[in-house]
Structure formats: structure tokens, C-alpha cells
Amino acid sequence: MRLYDTARRSVVPFEPPAPPTEVRIYVCGITPYDSTHLGHANTYLAYDLLIRRLEDLGHQVRLVRNITDVDDSILPKARELGVDFLELAAAETVRFHCDMEALNTRPPAAEPKATEWVAEMIALIEVLMSGGHAYTVEDTTWFDVSTWPAYGRLGGYDTAAMRTLAAERGGTPDDPRQRNPLDFVLWQPSAPDEPTWDSPFGPGRPGWHIECSVMSMGLLGAGIDLHGGGSDLIFPHHECELAQSEAAANRQFVKHWMHCGMVAYEGTKMSKSLGNLVFVSDLCKESDPAAVRLALMRHHYRHDWEWHDGDVDEAEALLDSLNEAARRKGPAGGADPAPFAQRLRDALDDDLDAPRARAVLAEMADAVLAGRLDDSAPGLLAELCALCGISLEPDPPSPDPQ
Ligand SMILES: [Zn+2]
């Protein structure tokens, strides 16, 4: 299998360990303060498809996907709603699980919550402190990027771009207490109504990036086979995770970085602040979740693209044709369908080309319905759909009672 690696900036062989050694994958999870939107679904379905193909190749995959239940976005939302942040997190996590289950995604092997790993975060910051990579000013502790010359190599952005992105995405490049504008927070004081933990650097709460370093290495060890998330996490989140993890562990943190594109709606990137969100739960109420998956498969995971309301109708039509073809009986004399299976697997192995895999499914359904394939084709089509996470309906819809 070949996959694009963000760090190497090219499509390279993905070389997971041979079975029975598990393939260790860490994907940054949600901050549970609002419902799952299509942008999340797009990201998590890409990893789900990857995992299904790896399992199809005989691998065992251990997926860890965290829950960021304490950070700079959940606390203000809990305050606004007048609820405890952990209650908000628990309620939204349940909704997230329902959405992911509806979309037929593989559950992770572990789903750590940041609040349950704070002691380990403090321990990691202490290691960084003793290595000279961190400093505290007025109860805030930063990572000193000048001690890590490789900082910036993952994303490849220049310093000016990193500074702009840091300011947009939760960093504080203009804080005069920092030694360098790109230094990032490891530990910070909590506001009076925010949760707080005691630490050697003063009472407070962790920075966002340290959470994922600790949960990923804590559950998977260093040298993780693949680390992923949306492309908006490349900088600063993953760049910071990488720097502090390698500075602390003194070995390679991640072998392969995989990032997914952003989904736009009504002309701009789907985002909470703009309010242009399409929620998975709403879509799944109106449409078969398998059609939602097929609609997302029209786009390559690395591309940014825009959702249009009619997209799911087109996918419903394809789903109908897949269902009808998978139920078709005979004839016995058509062509062997095996080349379709090979083409589909080749597409997935070519940087997870979901649009090409989807086109193979559509073409195969047409061939079955036109009677051009032998009687093993309907069963094989159902298997290939399952490989892509598309559940077909084994029986036709029951006839109208009248
Ligand atoms: Zn993360």
C-alpha cells in the first residue's frame, strides 16, 4: 500500500509491521462540545476505510482516538451553557458514538479522555523541564522551540506562516512572556471557574498539544505507525506534539503522518464560528447512512471539497443500484467478476483512492444488472461494499401491504 506522508511530502510505501504485530494508529479525536459535523465524519471515515483495507490485508490494527475533554474550546462552551464541562463532554461523546456507529465506523481499541491522563502530562512536562526544553513564567509553562531545531519540519511552513497560523489556532505568538513567538503552552493557570490540577509548575491545566503526546505514547508507545487528523491539525497541533514527544522520548515519535482535507459548505470551510455546519445526525435521519458514506467516498481524503445538499441523493441512487445488484440471482454463464475486486483493492492501495474504488463498485453493479457477470458476482459485490464499510440490505424492501 502507498500513502501520502505529510512529513515526506510525497506518496510513499506504507510499511506497517507484519502480522501478528499490531499496526498502531493514533487519530486525534473530538472536543466534545457540539455535535459531529460532516467535516469530522469525512476525517474519521477516511481512517476507517484505511483500517478496513489493512484488516483485509491480514493486519491487526490498534486504533487509539482520544477525547479532548478539557481545552480552550470546551470550557467556554460549558460556561455559556451553565453546565459542568465533564457533563457536557459526556453527553456530546454519547452523541458522537451514535453518529459514528450509524456511519458503520470501526470503534477504537481505546478512547482515552484527556482529564484521565493529567498526572502523565505533568510527568512529561517534568522530563521536558529537566531536558532544558521548557520554562515557566508567572505560572504558565512553555515549550522553548529554540531548543528543537527540527521544529517546523512536519508542516514545512515558513516562520511567518507559522506565526499567523499559531495566532489563528489557539497559540499566543504575541505574549511578551514567551522567549520565542512560536513557543507553545504546556501548562497554564485555570480561570476561577475552570478545572485545576496541582503541579510542580503551579496549579492549572494542561495545554492542548501535550494531551495528545501523552495519550498516544501512553497507549501505543513511541514509534507509532501512523498518526492522523484533519489537515488543520498539521500546524500547530501536530508540529508541537512531534517536537515535545521527540524531545522527551529521544526517539522517533511517528513513522507516517496522514492528514485529511477540509469540507466546505455554502462556500467556506465548515466551522462552528461561521455556523455553516451539516450535522451527521440530521443527514442520517433523512438518508441511509450507507448513502452518506458513499457520498463522502466521491472525494479523495487529501482534497478539500464542498458539500452540496443534493450529494446524498446521487449517493442514494447508487446505493439502490448496489442493493439491487447484490440481490440479483444468476445467470450462471457471465464473466468472472474477480478483476473488479482486484481493481477496487488496487485503488485503495493507491493512496486510499476512494473515488476510484467507488467507481469500481458502480461499474460492477451495472455489469451485474446487465447480466454480464457470472452468479458469484452479487456475493462478491456485497463483500467489496463491506470492505468499504457500505452495509447493503440483504433482503428487498417488503412489498406494500395493499
Ligand atoms: Zn490531538
Side-chain angles (χ1 to χ4, degrees):
M1 181 186 280
R2 293 170 64 80
L3 282 178
Y4 186 85
D5 178 18
T6 308
R8 284 174 276 181
R9 288 181 244 306
S10 58
V11 177
V12 295
F14 176 54
E15 292 164 323
T21 306
E22 288 178 321
V23 184
R24 295 165 305 146
I25 298 182
Y26 185 88
V27 175
C28 286
I30 55 157
T31 300
Y33 67 108
D34 212 338
S35 302
T36 321
H37 62 71
L38 211 58
H40 299 126
N42 183 56
T43 295
Y44 298 133
L45 288 185
Y47 297 103
D48 188 66
L49 188 59
L50 171 69
I51 291 168
R52 285 172 187 276
R53 174 57 181 147
L54 288 170
E55 288 177 349
D56 180 51
L57 282 164
H59 291 285
Q60 279 190 44
V61 178
R62 180 166 166 77
L63 169 68
V64 175
R65 190 179 61 211
N66 69 293
I67 300 277
T68 306
D69 61 352
V70 56
D71 81 346
D72 290 336
S73 42
I74 192 167
L75 296 172
K77 178 75 181 194
R79 183 182 297 139
E80 181 196 319
L81 295 172
V83 296
D84 179 76
F85 76 106
L86 290 178
E87 268 172 46
L88 174 62
E92 290 300 341
T93 301
V94 169
R95 295 173 66 175
F96 172 65
H97 287 161
C98 288
D99 290 343
M100 290 294 105
E101 203 184 315
L103 290 173
N104 195 27
T105 58
R106 284 273 193 269
E111 195 172 47
K113 297 185 184 107
T115 49
E116 293 172 358
W117 286 80
V118 175
E120 290 81 356
M121 293 170 201
I122 292 169
L124 193 79
I125 298 169
E126 287 190 288
V127 172
L128 292 171
M129 279 281 193
S130 60
H133 297 291
Y135 61 95
T136 304
V137 181
E138 293 172 2
D139 290 338
T140 298
T141 300
W142 280 276
F143 183 91
D144 182 342
V145 297
S146 69
T147 69
W148 198 251
Y151 189 81
R153 283 200 199 148
L154 170 63
Y157 298 109
D158 61 30
T159 305
M162 287 195 282
R163 210 179 150 139
T164 306
L165 286 170
E168 283 170 18
R169 297 174 178 170
T172 52
D174 299 318
D175 189 324
R177 298 171 301 168
Q178 292 179 207
R179 289 182 189 164
N180 315 286
L182 293 175
D183 289 353
F184 55 91
V185 168
L186 298 167
W187 190 262
Q188 60 203 326
S190 304
D193 61 343
E194 288 179 353
T196 186
W197 288 265
D198 285 331
S199 86
F201 343 102
R205 60 184 175 88
W208 171 33
H209 316 305
I210 197 78
E211 299 184 347
C212 280
S213 283
V214 164
M215 291 184 278
S216 60
M217 290 196 291
L219 287 161
L220 296 171
I224 294 166
D225 296 300
L226 185 137
H227 190 322
S231 59
D232 55 347
L233 297 184
I234 297 171
F235 191 87
H237 187 50
H238 289 164
E239 194 76 57
C240 297
E241 250 189 78
L242 172 60
Q244 70 202 357
S245 300
E246 295 198 346
N250 205 20
R251 55 167 293 195
Q252 188 185 31
F253 172 45
V254 166
K255 293 176 186 151
H256 193 114
W257 290 91
M258 173 178 163
H259 292 96
C260 300
M262 298 286 108
V263 183
Y265 184 57
E266 295 171 339
T268 37
K269 180 193 148 184
M270 235 178 248
S271 80
K272 217 147 293 198
S273 51
L274 294 169
N276 60 338
L277 302 179
V278 176
F279 293 111
V280 171
S281 51
D282 291 341
L283 273 179
C284 290
K285 257 179 246 157
E286 291 154 17
S287 312
D288 189 319
V292 176
R293 270 190 92 117
L294 281 170
L296 294 175
M297 276 182 79
R298 255 176 79 182
H299 307 277
H300 192 273
Y301 78 91
R302 277 202 281 136
H303 296 170
D304 294 336
W305 55 277
E306 179 164 354
W307 174 262
H308 298 284
D309 292 327
D311 289 359
V312 76
D313 300 331
E314 184 268 353
E316 289 268 20
L318 172 57
L319 182 62
D320 287 346
S321 131
L322 293 170
N323 272 316
E324 198 190 331
R327 285 185 215 120
R328 187 58 66 99
K329 302 272 186 281
D336 178 2
F340 283 100
Q342 191 56 49
R343 284 172 54 205
L344 182 128
R345 290 187 166 97
D346 288 347
L348 295 179
D349 292 349
D350 180 12
D351 198 21
L352 205 66
D353 193 340
R356 217 167 91 207
R358 181 189 192 269
V360 171
L361 293 177
E363 201 188 311
M364 187 175 172
D366 288 346
V368 171
L369 294 174
R372 293 201 302 269
L373 299 177
D374 72 25
D375 60 358
S376 70
L380 181 62
L381 177 64
E383 270 173 45
L384 296 176
C385 284
L387 167 55
C388 296
I390 309 293
S391 311
L392 298 183
E393 288 166 23
D395 302 308
S398 44
D400 209 319
Q402 62 170 299

